[in-house]
Amino acid sequence: MKKIGERFVAKSFFAGLLVAVGALVATVPANAIDLGNPADTTFRAKGNPIITHKYTADPAALVHDGKVYLYAGRDEAPLDFHFYRMNEWLVFSSPDMENWTEHPVPLKPSDFKWAKGDAWAAEVVEKDGKFYWYVTVTHDDTKPGKAIGVAVADSPTGPFKDARGSALITNEMTTGTSIDWDDIDPTVFIDDDGQAYMFWGNTKAYYAKLKDNMVELDGPIKTIDNLPNFTEAPYVHKHKGNYYLSYAYQFPEKTAYAMSKSIEGPWEYKGILNELAGNSNTNHQAIIDFKGKTYFIYHTGGIQPNGGSFRRSVAIDEIFYNPDGTMKRVVMTTEGVAPAKEGTKAAAKKKKSR
């Protein structure tokens, strides 16, 4: 009788435990459960946002060997946490902007021994067969505030490692504002002559040349003082001899842009490029040319039901130029972009002009 009683008690205990676990899972939104992805899994984008199994933010993109490589920070804020919680960066690749591969996590703030955390906005560029990842992190207490580091790899998917063993930019190096988070959102542009420039900032726009090794500054840090309502997220690209500097404008953020005939300015403000990104206070962009079209990559808070300013998602739409070189305002869509294919008139024209 005693053994039977013990079995009955044990069965009752485990039955109650299963019911409790089931009730707990039922209270968690399905898209908040993430069991993780094994290496190199594939999925198909079905409109915007293009990634729905994880929250992704602050996109950067690189075109290499016929593929788009998309880099993003991973938003992991729980529903009751009203700020950014970002512990790793992610990388995805696609040959056509529709069929995507998620690769293993390539980089975390903990890979920088001098950093405390925070996988904020970053960008990857390629030079001489090496891939350089410029990241925003929080520095340890020896140099408080946000900082910019550099990681390097032989492949666009990593593995990446700290290229310096120390930060490239720390808070005391910039004095344009008294805040300690002005050294964020790095973007790197390599001009036709091979000279690399890094732009970054919050409330103050900074830029500097990089040495050929891509991990040291080459000269003084300069400021850009005529960008109306500059908040953060600078991004530089070039099209038909014109330089474009887009950036987050005001707060909540729209995206605005300026143009110049020189990478070092002067910059002429041209207006709004993208309106408020749905359900998100921030607006962060990358602009790439791929298979004859130009794409505007950004994030929104649009995943239902729990998307928002701290649980964002990457989206992609096309962007178009006017005859005078200015850009038309982005039309954000639910449908997203059609699969990218070679052989379009634009692609043929571009190929012919090379």
Side-chain angles (χ1 to χ4, degrees), residues 15-273:
L17 181 61
L18 289 173
V19 170
V21 171
L24 177 62
V25 171
T27 64
V28 180
N31 65 353
I33 301 174
D34 180 15
L35 301 180
N37 267 11
D40 291 341
T41 58
T42 60
F43 61 94
R44 181 185 176 194
K46 299 179 180 179
N48 284 325
I50 63 167
I51 301 161
T52 57
H53 64 283
K54 292 179 178 178
Y55 294 113
T56 52
D58 302 327
L62 170 72
V63 177
H64 179 71
D65 282 350
K67 289 185 178 180
V68 171
Y69 290 86
L70 173 64
Y71 304 87
R74 183 181 179 186
D75 273 340
E76 299 181 82
L79 298 183
D80 60 349
F81 187 76
H82 303 296
F83 197 64
Y84 306 105
R85 181 171 291 176
M86 307 177 76
N87 298 310
E88 61 188 16
W89 292 279
L90 306 174
V91 59
F92 307 84
S93 65
S94 174
D96 59 7
M97 308 290 272
E98 180 184 37
N99 297 289
W100 291 88
T101 298
E102 179 176 8
H103 302 279
V105 171
L107 190 65
K108 297 181 178 181
S110 58
D111 294 323
F112 300 92
K113 301 305 181 185
W114 45 269
K116 292 173 68 172
D118 298 328
W120 282 23
E123 184 170 12
V124 178
V125 296
E126 183 271 335
K127 185 173 183 180
D128 298 332
K130 297 282 188 179
F131 297 85
Y132 297 90
W133 198 332
Y134 300 83
V135 303
T136 305
V137 292
T138 298
H139 205 289
D140 65 24
D141 292 340
T142 62
K143 295 184 178 181
K146 294 298 181 187
I148 295 172
V150 191
V152 66
D154 294 322
S155 162
T157 59
F160 285 82
K161 63 180 181 180
D162 188 352
R164 289 173 47 92
S166 62
L168 175 61
I169 301 292
T170 53
N171 184 56
E172 79 279 0
M173 295 171 65
T174 53
T175 57
T177 176
S178 60
I179 63 174
D180 67 359
W181 62 91
D182 55 325
D183 296 304
I184 67 171
D185 295 3
T187 185
V188 172
F189 176 80
I190 302 176
D191 212 346
D192 299 333
D193 62 0
Q195 177 63 59
Y197 298 80
M198 185 170 74
F199 295 74
W200 74 98
N202 178 287
T203 69
K204 200 74 174 179
Y206 303 108
Y207 77 99
K209 287 183 178 181
L210 294 174
K211 290 185 178 180
D212 192 57
N213 63 17
M214 301 296 284
V215 299
E216 295 178 276
L217 299 186
D218 188 9
I221 295 172
K222 301 178 182 180
T223 61
I224 305 172
D225 298 317
N226 65 330
L227 299 176
N229 296 297
F230 175 84
T231 304
E232 58 187 2
Y235 185 87
V236 176
H237 75 284
K238 189 176 184 180
H239 177 76
K240 293 185 177 180
N242 292 313
Y243 295 88
Y244 299 80
L245 172 54
S246 50
Y247 62 93
Y249 172 99
Q250 299 179 329
F251 192 85
E253 296 171 354
K254 301 177 183 179
T255 300
Y257 79 105
M259 292 176 62
S260 177
K261 287 295 183 181
S262 168
I263 185 64
E264 298 201 59
W267 296 96
E268 182 180 353
Y269 177 73
K270 293 297 182 181
I272 301 300
L273 183 59

Side-chain angles (χ1 to χ4, degrees), residues 59-61 123 235 284-288 295-298:
E123 184 170 12
Y235 185 87
H284 193 107
Q285 75 292 351
I287 299 172
I288 61 168
Y295 295 94
F296 186 83
I297 307 174
Y298 59 105

